[in-house]
Amino acid sequence: MHGERPVHKLLAKALLASAASLLLLATPAMAKDSGAVRMQRLYNPNSGEHFYTANTNERDHLVNLGWSYEGVGWVAPSKSGIPVYRLYNPNAGDHHYTMNAGERDMLVGVGWKYEGIGWYSSEAQTVSLYRQYNPNAKTGTHNYTTSGGERNYLVKVGWRDEGIGWYGVDPSLAPVDDFDHDTGYAVIEARMTLRGSGTGYHAKVDIACNGHPGVASFGIQYEHNMRYAHKGPGGTNSTAFLLENVMDHAAEAGLEGKSYTFIQNAQLGQSYLIRLSWHKDTNTLHCYVNNEEVFSQKTTFQSPFTFAVEGSVERNGDSISASFDHVKVKAGDGKQAYGYQTDDFGTIGYWNDSNDFFGLQAKLTNPGYAVNVDGPTRSNAFDASMTVTGTARLDPRYDWDTCFQLVEPTTGSKNRPLSGMVNIAQTQ
């Protein structure tokens, strides 16, 4: 994270000297694993280092410093008899992880900083963490993955296979990470299915600031040329999970203040549980697919918010058929002052499905229900259903990025998206 270049020769000697000990550590012990914790995987685009931590606060801090969050790397036991030690090279800004106490002590002796136990290796040896070494890198020299495909690809392009670094546990043992356990200040979730035809179409859930230039959406996008795909860690085919994060310069042309991240591949016609969550304490967005966090990113949001489900298409003649079921929203921190809920808690009113633009139609098929928090107007909304369908009708010289310049025929006004949407507002 800081510094200049690693001590490769000393590290190489330490690895060779500890090889026999590592083999001994690979023998299963009699003690049992205890608990399970998700290991967060991050990537530094400046140094090339991958970093791993069980601490979500540390993860969010690094995301705010510019690291890319790449989701859960594996699930580790909360405790076992085999600790994995974490060390930091202050000269190179690089981390190293080892189960070998001798290797740890040798590196400390030549200037590395010992940062304690990073996590534990599974004594049951259920899930292998493969270790690869990049002989050409100065930082980020090691990669750890449960994916045999990722390991084989890296070896093919010049990395060295160094066997198994440590072991994880069955991912199903990880704590529940669903909507009910989400600690975000603003959260929207929907079971989403996307179909369509033409050059591009998109189904998403939105969180938009009221009175402040900020809006984010997360969902599934098909685009025939994936023009922004280079900006994300994944999404190599034409359909992917996309986070749109529009911050300070929402009204200006170009990409300044806007971030479009294609996170990983998705499939048209498949149902996904999609969740977007904003955490007030760190000002970060968190994206979930089927209750697994896949990405997080810093933003510049301020409450209060409007929440929406939205379907959009790219050009004239493109069609969409998107469904959103079990839509849930919660807002505010729920804190009390003098025995009463604070005014920023919950949503107000009902879902509004009158936002139909350029030929696309949003329809509320089930209004769901509200959970009253502090009287009839302060509620959180649950289990609504919506659809967005239709074929775009607009000047073919414009698309979903430039349509805001046009007069939308139904409303007779400009600055309208090429979308249909259903929304609900946070109590103000």
Side-chain angles (χ1 to χ4, degrees):
M1 294 186 294
H2 340 275
E4 299 169 357
R5 72 176 52 177
V7 188
H8 290 299
K9 292 183 179 179
L10 290 170
L11 179 55
K13 288 180 181 179
L15 295 175
L16 290 172
S18 62
S21 300
L22 286 171
L23 289 173
L24 289 174
L25 282 169
T27 303
M30 296 302 293
K32 294 182 179 180
D33 301 329
S34 174
V37 60
R38 292 180 177 86
M39 295 303 304
Q40 315 295 319
R41 172 168 154 160
L42 299 103
Y43 175 71
N44 187 331
N46 299 310
S47 68
E49 179 188 4
H50 279 96
F51 180 75
Y52 314 91
T53 178
N55 188 321
T56 55
N57 290 328
E58 183 174 31
R59 174 201 63 191
D60 293 345
H61 173 69
L62 291 176
V63 167
N64 279 325
L65 292 179
W67 289 63
S68 297
Y69 176 58
E70 295 188 336
V72 176
W74 73 98
V75 177
S78 301
K79 195 71 178 289
S80 78
I82 307 177
V84 179
Y85 305 113
R86 173 172 137 179
L87 299 104
Y88 174 69
N89 185 337
N91 298 310
D94 205 10
H95 285 85
H96 182 64
Y97 314 96
T98 179
M99 295 187 296
N100 188 282
E103 180 182 4
R104 173 201 64 192
D105 295 342
M106 191 274 217
L107 291 175
V108 169
V110 296
W112 288 65
K113 180 182 177 182
Y114 175 52
E115 294 188 334
I117 295 173
W119 54 87
Y120 291 88
S121 178
S122 170
E123 299 183 25
Q125 299 188 358
T126 306
V127 178
S128 299
L129 267 294
Y130 304 112
R131 172 166 140 171
Q132 306 88 48
Y133 172 70
N134 185 346
N136 301 311
K138 295 180 179 179
T139 58
T141 55
H142 283 90
N143 182 65
Y144 303 89
T145 180
T146 60
S147 169
E150 182 180 357
R151 173 199 60 192
N152 295 339
Y153 172 77
L154 291 176
V155 170
K156 184 178 179 180
V157 297
W159 291 62
R160 295 175 186 168
D161 184 0
E162 294 192 335
I164 295 173
W166 54 82
Y167 294 92
V169 299
D170 188 327
S172 66
L173 299 176
V176 175
D177 197 9
D178 60 9
F179 180 91
D180 292 337
H181 292 84
D182 195 315
T183 59
Y185 176 94
V187 186
I188 180 169
E189 177 181 270
R191 181 158 290 282
M192 181 186 303
T193 306
L194 174 65
R195 295 179 176 87
S197 62
T199 59
Y201 35 94
H202 189 182
K204 51 192 175 181
V205 292
D206 304 343
I207 300 176
C209 301
N210 289 333
H212 181 73
V215 60
S217 68
F218 177 55
I220 310 163
Q221 178 164 309
Y222 168 84
E223 189 173 0
H224 71 293
N225 61 6
M226 276 295 185
R227 60 190 156 181
Y228 294 122
H230 65 283
K231 289 187 173 293
T236 57
N237 65 14
S238 295
T239 308
F241 298 109
L242 169 67
L243 171 66
E244 298 177 301
N245 183 8
V246 180
M247 294 172 280
D248 290 335
H249 300 277
E252 296 183 12
L255 292 175
E256 184 178 2
K258 306 175 180 70
S259 174
Y260 300 86
T261 306
F262 286 80
I263 298 166
Q264 61 189 43
N265 294 335
Q267 297 294 324
L268 293 174
Q270 182 168 330
S271 173
Y272 296 99
L273 188 63
I274 300 295
R275 178 164 26 117
L276 180 62
S277 175
W278 178 71
H279 287 232
K280 185 176 183 178
D281 53 345
T282 56
N283 212 337
T284 52
L285 293 163
H286 299 263
C287 304
Y288 298 82
V289 177
N290 296 333
N291 287 329
E292 179 178 337
E293 187 169 5
V294 295
F295 194 70
S296 69
Q297 190 175 72
K298 66 180 179 180
T299 188
T300 56
F301 276 12
Q302 295 179 17
S303 61
F305 298 107
T306 295
F307 301 87
V309 300
E310 181 178 3
S312 59
V313 299
E314 184 174 2
R315 296 183 178 279
N316 178 59
D318 291 348
S319 298
I320 186 172
S321 177
S323 63
F324 306 85
D325 296 305
H326 302 294
V327 181
K328 300 178 181 180
V329 170
K330 57 183 178 181
D333 52 24
K335 295 179 180 178
Q336 293 189 349
Y338 305 106
Y340 297 94
Q341 299 287 355
T342 53
D343 288 341
D344 66 353
F345 194 85
T347 55
I348 186 169
Y350 303 94
W351 288 99
N352 170 24
D353 66 352
S354 61
N355 302 291
D356 303 329
F357 308 120
F358 297 105
L360 303 187
Q361 296 87 38
K363 183 178 181 181
L364 181 66
T365 58
N366 178 6
Y369 62 93
V371 176
N372 289 340
V373 178
D374 183 23
T377 62
R378 292 179 187 161
S379 307
N380 284 322
F382 290 96
D383 280 339
S385 297
M386 302 94 169
T387 61
V388 178
T389 58
T391 301
R393 296 287 178 256
L394 75 163
D395 188 325
R397 295 173 297 176
Y398 294 82
D399 62 15
W400 54 15
D401 290 327
T402 58
C403 64
F404 301 94
Q405 304 170 37
L406 295 174
V407 174
E408 199 282 321
T410 303
T411 61
S413 59
K414 293 184 178 182
N415 294 315
R416 300 297 183 181
L418 185 42
S419 303
M421 69 176 71
V422 185
N423 57 23
I424 195 168
Q426 180 182 0
T427 301
Q428 300 182 36

